[in-house]
Amino acid sequence: MAVWGLALSTFAARVETDRTWYLAGEVMRVSFETDRALVAYAELCDTQGMAAGVVMSLHEGKGSGTIELPAELHSGYYVLSVYTRDNANVAQQLVAVVNPLRKSVDDDVEWVKLADSESESFATTDVSPNTFLLPPSSKPVDVCETEGHVIRARIKNVYDGRTFKGSEITPSLSIIGKQIHYFEGKMENDSMAVFNTYGIHGKQPLVLSAVTSTGVSLPIEMKSPFVVLLPKALPHLVFHYKRSEVEARSLEMQRHQKAIKEQPAVVPLDYDDTVYGTKPDLSYNLDEYRQFLTIREVLVEYVICVSKRKVNDVQKLFVSLDQIPNVNSWPSLVLIDGMPVIDVERLLSYDARRIHHINIYGGQYTFGHGVYNGILSFITRSGQLTNYPTERNTQYLVYDFPE
């Protein structure tokens, strides 16, 4: 029986892991090297689906990342595939995972106990590991990430019996927090949007939305960046284990899992009122004006440079710093904690006591293909949309942007 750890693929790209076997619930550290790319994708799969994945930043063709292995993984072999969007060569290797705390009908492992005096635990198989790795042609070529992270989303472009064309839809991606990070996507066709993001790193809450020119909000959902390269079969895992080693790592893994559960929710980015490096023309701190109960009252009684009127029968807000409304100007971009406001009336009825700052930016702005005459930004005290529900048909999720 051949003894082996983790076989490297023979393709141009190269992948390595920090251990020769893993416990379910541990952290896997992955290193990747290729000839060119800025971002790489790593996915761990069995024959049923993807168990875990991570997006990694590359610098001069090299990068690393960590994959949190779910504690409920079954024991057996998995395939780790790492690839870039523009590279048809997929670097792969088999990964042995054992779960001493939970049995599963999907387990495919034979436990062979070693004496404590013997060497460290190891995994074996009696077949060539390369038999279970995919040929390079199985990875479709995708768009290369050269300037920032690319995110795709699928849009249901049918509403109330009407089908909307891509040219009628404005897709947007915004980071929720105390800063403005807003991106408008490009429609690849009538139902698929692509966003080229930049300057965002780590786990961040985001909202995806898609609005038609007539103010209709369409359902939108992020498309997984992972290809999900499923192996047709996997070898039988023979795990030669040293009990004291497995027990020590199991205790450490359980402490790690407890620490994960105790971690606080994602904290919004620190307050920064600049947009493209520009400070707001007007800024209001509502700590100084506690008497207003709704945003409507604040805009009517205090913020005199904002007006409201309908465009294509949809209510819009307009910023006019000279206090002279221009009926021919574009509407302003209205945000609350970075999320675009689609339903203006709901914003106007929102509790003003939850708002900390109102920032108003003059001039024209583009965040993709749309043009806006000014920005009206509302920042709550928490920076997390306190009691302000996300707009209808939008998608809210926490996404891990590559560093």
Side-chain angles (χ1 to χ4, degrees):
M1 180 177 290
V3 178
W4 59 281
L6 302 172
L8 296 176
S9 72
T10 58
F11 306 141
R14 186 166 63 92
V15 60
E16 293 180 353
T17 55
D18 61 327
R19 286 175 167 167
T20 58
W21 60 271
Y22 293 88
L23 289 176
E26 286 187 321
V27 176
M28 175 189 296
R29 292 175 174 79
V30 181
S31 299
F32 182 65
E33 184 175 347
T34 187
D35 54 353
R36 70 182 188 94
L38 293 180
V39 175
Y41 299 82
E43 59 186 45
L44 187 72
C45 296
D46 61 7
T47 57
Q48 302 301 313
M50 189 175 74
V54 68
V55 184
M56 302 181 293
S57 291
L58 301 178
H59 302 281
E60 297 182 352
K62 297 180 181 180
S64 62
T66 58
I67 297 178
E68 293 279 353
L69 299 179
E72 64 274 10
L73 288 185
H74 67 81
S75 298
Y77 275 117
Y78 294 75
V79 171
L80 174 67
S81 302
V82 186
Y83 55 88
T84 59
R85 286 184 184 265
D86 69 330
N87 192 346
N89 291 330
V90 183
Q92 295 179 306
Q93 62 185 47
L94 290 174
V95 174
V97 178
V98 292
N99 193 334
L101 303 180
R102 184 177 304 179
K103 290 185 177 180
S104 169
V105 295
D106 296 319
D107 286 346
D108 187 10
V109 61
E110 178 183 347
W111 296 79
V112 179
K113 186 177 181 180
L114 299 172
D116 281 349
S117 59
E118 295 186 67
S119 60
E120 294 182 348
S121 308
F122 59 90
T124 67
T125 182
D126 54 4
V127 295
S128 170
N130 291 325
T131 304
F132 298 91
L133 299 181
L134 299 171
S137 60
S138 62
K139 165 67 177 66
V141 177
D142 207 341
V143 176
C144 178
E145 298 192 340
T146 56
E147 297 181 356
H149 184 45
V150 178
I151 291 178
R152 282 184 168 79
R154 189 177 301 278
I155 299 169
K156 185 177 180 182
N157 62 338
V158 178
Y159 177 83
D160 198 22
R162 178 182 173 185
T163 300
F164 291 92
K165 299 295 183 182
S167 58
E168 301 175 277
I169 303 171
T170 299
S172 69
L173 182 156
S174 53
I175 306 301
I176 302 303
K178 298 183 178 183
Q179 301 179 13
I180 294 179
H181 293 281
Y182 175 81
F183 307 91
E184 288 191 353
K186 176 182 178 182
M187 297 297 296
E188 293 184 316
N189 50 50
D190 290 344
S191 61
M192 188 63 65
V194 59
F195 300 92
N196 292 280
T197 67
Y198 54 89
I200 307 296
H201 309 288
K203 290 185 177 180
Q204 299 293 340
L206 63 83
V207 167
L208 291 168
S209 63
V211 183
T212 70
S213 56
T214 55
V216 175
S217 178
L218 300 175
I220 185 171
E221 183 177 14
M222 180 183 291
K223 181 181 177 183
S224 171
F226 300 101
V227 174
V228 186
L229 300 169
L230 299 183
K232 294 182 179 180
L234 287 167
H236 175 66
L237 169 62
V238 181
F239 183 53
H240 304 260
Y241 70 98
K242 187 176 179 179
R243 181 168 180 171
S244 59
E245 180 187 4
V246 173
E247 287 180 344
R249 281 178 56 173
S250 179
L251 289 174
E252 182 62 30
M253 177 273 294
Q254 292 176 64
R255 285 192 288 267
H256 174 69
Q257 289 294 316
K258 182 180 178 181
I260 291 177
K261 294 179 181 179
E262 293 175 350
Q263 288 178 353
V266 177
V267 178
L269 297 172
D270 291 337
Y271 177 67
D272 185 349
D273 60 357
T274 59
V275 179
Y276 294 150
T278 302
K279 290 283 188 178
D281 293 278
L282 292 174
S283 186
Y284 301 89
N285 186 337
L286 294 197
D287 281 345
E288 303 169 4
Y289 304 91
R290 294 276 187 161
Q291 69 270 35
F292 302 116
L293 299 181
T294 67
I295 297 299
R296 188 189 310 273
E297 294 177 14
V298 173
L299 296 183
V300 171
E301 302 292 340
Y302 183 43
V303 183
I304 58 177
C305 62
V306 176
S307 60
K308 180 183 71 170
R309 69 173 183 271
K310 287 188 176 181
V311 178
N312 293 329
D313 207 33
V314 180
Q315 289 285 5
K316 298 287 185 179
L317 296 181
F318 293 77
V319 169
S320 302
L321 294 179
D322 57 6
Q323 302 180 29
I324 302 175
N326 183 354
V327 296
N328 296 318
S329 66
W330 288 288
S332 300
L333 175 63
V334 183
L335 305 170
I336 179 167
D337 285 345
M339 182 183 74
V341 172
I342 300 172
D343 187 346
V344 169
E345 290 300 323
R346 178 162 54 176
L347 171 70
L348 296 178
S349 301
Y350 184 63
D351 187 350
R353 292 166 294 185
R354 298 188 185 276
I355 297 294
H356 194 183
H357 301 283
I358 300 177
N359 294 324
I360 299 177
Y361 306 80
Q364 291 184 354
Y365 294 84
T366 59
F367 296 89
H369 301 281
V371 179
Y372 301 94
N373 188 49
I375 302 172
L376 180 59
S377 174
F378 297 86
I379 308 296
T380 66
R381 301 182 187 281
S382 69
Q384 301 182 71
L385 296 172
T386 306
N387 282 19
Y388 194 97
T390 54
E391 298 278 0
R392 183 171 178 264
N393 290 327
T394 60
Q395 183 185 26
Y396 177 96
L397 70 157
V398 175
Y399 186 79
D400 196 356
F401 288 83
E403 294 292 340

